[in-house]
Amino acid sequence: MIGGEEGIARWRSVADGIRALIADAAGAMEKLPVEADLAERFQVNRHTVRRAIAALQAEGLVRAERGRGTFVERLPQRLSYPVGARTRFSENITGQSRQPAGRLITSKREAADARIAAALRIRIGAPLHRLETLSVADGVPMSLATSWFPAERFPGIVAAYAESGSITKALAAEGVADYRRQETRITAMRVNPSDAEHLACPRDAVVLVTDSVNCDPDDAPIQLSRARFLADRIEMVFRT
Amino acid sequence: MIGGEEGIARWRSVADGIRALIADAAGAMEKLPVEADLAERFQVNRHTVRRAIAALQAEGLVRAERGRGTFVERLPQRLSYPVGARTRFSENITGQSRQPAGRLITSKREAADARIAAALRIRIGAPLHRLETLSVADGVPMSLATSWFPAERFPGIVAAYAESGSITKALAAEGVADYRRQETRITAMRVNPSDAEHLACPRDAVVLVTDSVNCDPDDAPIQLSRARFLADRIEMVFRT
DNA sequence: TTATATTTGTGCGTATGTATA
DNA sequence: CTATACATACGCACAAATATA
């Protein structure tokens, strides 16, 4: 292997390159350059380009037609996710005429470690409900979240979420009429294998990871969560 | 190939897995499990684990000692990057006792396309200065940015940046005493090959991509920029 | 309509990289 | 270290479908 990177197949890099071509063109590219040109551009054999195109075709991004060319089928467009004090998944998504839904994957009782206890301002060892949830828009998985709630204050949060599929509604059922986002920390990484299954994405997909704390109207922290958003399906928007 | 993903070598997945083990332990893991255990855990041959560890050792994350074991050398810690109306790279970084610096890579004159013209509220085809800049903290490359400035309003912006290595100072030299961040859009992707060279990172690294608009005190847009931050060196923090 | 060029699809041989035993 | 199996990448040739003159 000459130009590429050790341990990653060449056709995969080429596929990424073609994806970038399509994204950069922002809709102005209906038809891909012919395979021979792509091979020249990426300095690989035409077979390697074909392997890359096969992968893109499998994910529905392009469609190859014999004798005609290869055409862009859909362009990777990201859903905007506004983040602010009143960040709520369902409100964000319905604003873009999509059908949101939340599904409980697992729940567990845990004891607070030092990090969680500090964030939620409870004692170390205090009982917690830990929820793994999947958020979906229009039937497409958008994000996975791990949330921790103080179990003493919210004994029925798991059942309330399982029923409504909405954190906002579950908290309302537990007596929290309103809440606000205090802080959001964002980074990004490759998706981990078990998340990849739930998100129905390739195993080398990139996720935006947000750590956030929600507080009740008295500024008492009520929820700590770490959400993983598929980076190619979402962009976060902050207005300042 | 059994468990892994097509087009990505097994040892690379294992290396990612070990990196995740170290990161999740958050400093609590000084010594890696023995190679045989890792091979069992990731369901690969011990040779494959050794190849993964060799890669991690090459990047300075772990150190293997014959007869003793493999030890965590440094743990991946992210620099916090607060984002708000007054986001400035140099102020953010100096607040964490690091030495920031900016370096001009290239500059170019361009004509505004529809997207840029709309964001900067200038006419399509208006002249622009386009700057590619690298930001460094303590000698470590942190981010690359592509910035567009209206050339008519800021004729000397390129020279001013080249001299000071700071957008804030360059704008001051061009008569903008203060400016504010209007909007920030964040997503993430794999780093592109040419960026990888400047950032001195592996070619499959993940970058946070921020698109932002800066405005002068009269709310006139003065700068459009797209910055790429290495996700494993930075986290963005938003307080609301 | 008939050629001709263009473009994707396919087959085969060879060399190298990856993973296991 | 060897041997084996499979995946990756290349080079060349040609077939099949389409576009164009």
Side-chain angles (χ1 to χ4, degrees):
Chain A
M1 193 120 44
I2 307 167
E5 156 187 37
E6 228 187 352
I8 291 190
R10 204 122 179 202
W11 61 263
R12 184 167 274 280
S13 306
V14 172
D16 287 340
I18 296 173
R19 239 189 302 268
L21 282 183
I22 296 170
D24 289 348
M29 186 188 301
E30 295 174 21
K31 183 170 172 293
L32 289 190
V34 298
E35 292 172 351
D37 289 356
L38 290 170
E40 166 66 20
R41 160 146 28 181
F42 293 108
Q43 289 290 292
V44 296
N45 189 275
R46 193 169 73 94
H47 281 302
T48 309
V49 169
R50 288 183 52 71
R51 182 83 152 88
I53 288 176
L56 297 175
Q57 198 159 10
E59 69 186 64
L61 189 65
V62 302
R63 177 177 34 83
E65 291 182 29
R66 178 193 288 219
R68 300 225 305 139
T70 304
F71 301 86
V72 176
E73 200 63 342
R74 63 175 173 79
L75 48 148
Q77 201 181 0
R78 291 183 167 91
L79 200 64
S80 289
Y81 188 85
V83 179
R86 293 199 45 84
T87 298
R88 279 131 177 80
F89 180 76
S90 40
E91 292 177 18
N92 281 338
I93 304 304
T94 43
Q96 296 173 57
S97 67
R98 308 261 189 144
Q99 273 301 323
R103 192 167 64 77
L104 181 65
I105 298 175
T106 60
S107 68
K108 215 165 91 175
R109 277 183 76 93
E110 273 187 9
D113 65 17
R115 182 184 75 96
I116 297 179
L120 290 178
R121 284 194 243 135
I122 56 179
R123 67 185 189 284
I124 293 177
L128 297 167
H129 286 301
R130 171 186 167 145
L131 282 72
E132 300 284 340
T133 58
L134 176 69
S135 292
V136 172
D138 278 347
V140 182
M142 301 301 291
S143 69
L144 280 166
T146 307
S147 299
W148 289 269
F149 297 89
E152 288 166 348
R153 179 163 177 191
F154 305 110
I157 191 83
V158 176
Y161 181 85
E163 170 146 4
S164 64
S166 155
I167 294 285
T168 305
K169 287 180 186 159
L171 282 169
E174 292 284 292
V176 177
D178 192 26
Y179 62 93
R180 61 188 298 275
R181 177 76 66 100
Q182 190 183 53
E183 186 186 79
T184 306
R185 310 178 85 89
I186 302 186
T187 187
M189 58 182 70
R190 304 254 292 270
V191 70
N192 81 44
S194 67
D195 284 0
E197 299 231 352
H198 287 115
L199 291 170
C201 66
R203 298 171 76 107
D204 67 336
V206 171
V207 288
L208 281 166
V209 180
T210 70
D211 282 302
S212 60
V213 180
N214 280 324
C215 294
D216 69 11
D218 301 326
D219 274 336
I222 56 177
Q223 177 193 11
L224 178 69
S225 67
R226 159 168 291 214
R228 286 87 73 198
F229 294 85
L230 271 177
D232 61 357
R233 295 186 195 158
I234 275 215
E235 70 178 351
M236 307 255 158
V237 183
F238 296 79
R239 298 194 154 272
T240 49
Chain B
M1 194 118 41
I2 307 167
E5 153 188 38
E6 230 186 353
I8 292 191
R10 205 121 179 202
W11 62 263
R12 181 167 277 277
S13 306
V14 172
D16 287 341
I18 295 173
R19 239 189 304 267
L21 281 182
I22 295 170
D24 289 349
M29 185 189 302
E30 296 173 21
K31 185 172 172 290
L32 290 190
V34 299
E35 290 173 353
D37 289 355
L38 289 170
E40 166 66 19
R41 164 157 9 194
F42 293 107
Q43 291 289 293
V44 295
N45 191 279
R46 194 170 76 91
H47 284 127
T48 310
V49 169
R50 289 183 54 73
R51 176 99 200 247
I53 289 178
L56 297 174
Q57 196 159 11
E59 69 185 63
L61 188 64
V62 303
R63 177 177 34 84
E65 291 184 28
R66 180 190 290 209
R68 297 222 306 137
T70 305
F71 300 86
V72 176
E73 200 65 342
R74 62 173 173 81
L75 51 148
Q77 200 181 0
R78 288 183 168 92
L79 200 63
S80 289
Y81 188 85
V83 179
R86 293 200 43 85
T87 296
R88 278 133 177 80
F89 179 77
S90 43
E91 291 177 17
N92 281 338
I93 302 304
T94 43
Q96 296 173 58
S97 67
R98 309 259 188 145
Q99 274 300 323
R103 193 167 63 78
L104 182 64
I105 298 175
T106 61
S107 68
K108 215 165 91 177
R109 277 183 79 92
E110 271 187 10
D113 64 16
R115 181 184 76 95
I116 297 179
L120 291 178
R121 285 194 242 135
I122 55 179
R123 67 183 188 284
I124 294 178
L128 298 167
H129 286 301
R130 172 186 168 146
L131 283 72
E132 300 283 339
T133 58
L134 176 70
S135 292
V136 172
D138 278 349
V140 182
M142 300 302 289
S143 69
L144 280 166
T146 307
S147 299
W148 290 269
F149 297 89
E152 287 166 351
R153 177 161 178 193
F154 304 111
I157 192 82
V158 175
Y161 181 87
E163 171 147 3
S164 64
S166 155
I167 294 286
T168 305
K169 287 180 186 157
L171 282 171
E174 292 284 291
V176 177
D178 193 25
Y179 63 94
R180 61 189 297 275
R181 176 75 67 101
Q182 190 181 54
E183 185 185 80
T184 306
R185 310 178 86 90
I186 302 185
T187 187
M189 58 181 69
R190 304 250 294 267
V191 69
N192 79 43
S194 67
D195 284 1
E197 298 229 355
H198 287 116
L199 290 169
C201 67
R203 298 172 76 108
D204 67 334
V206 172
V207 288
L208 281 167
V209 180
T210 69
D211 282 302
S212 60
V213 179
N214 280 324
C215 294
D216 69 11
D218 301 326
D219 274 336
I222 54 175
Q223 177 192 11
L224 177 69
S225 67
R226 159 167 291 211
R228 290 85 72 195
F229 294 86
L230 271 177
D232 62 356
R233 296 185 195 157
I234 273 212
E235 71 179 351
M236 307 253 156
V237 183
F238 294 80
R239 300 195 153 273
T240 48

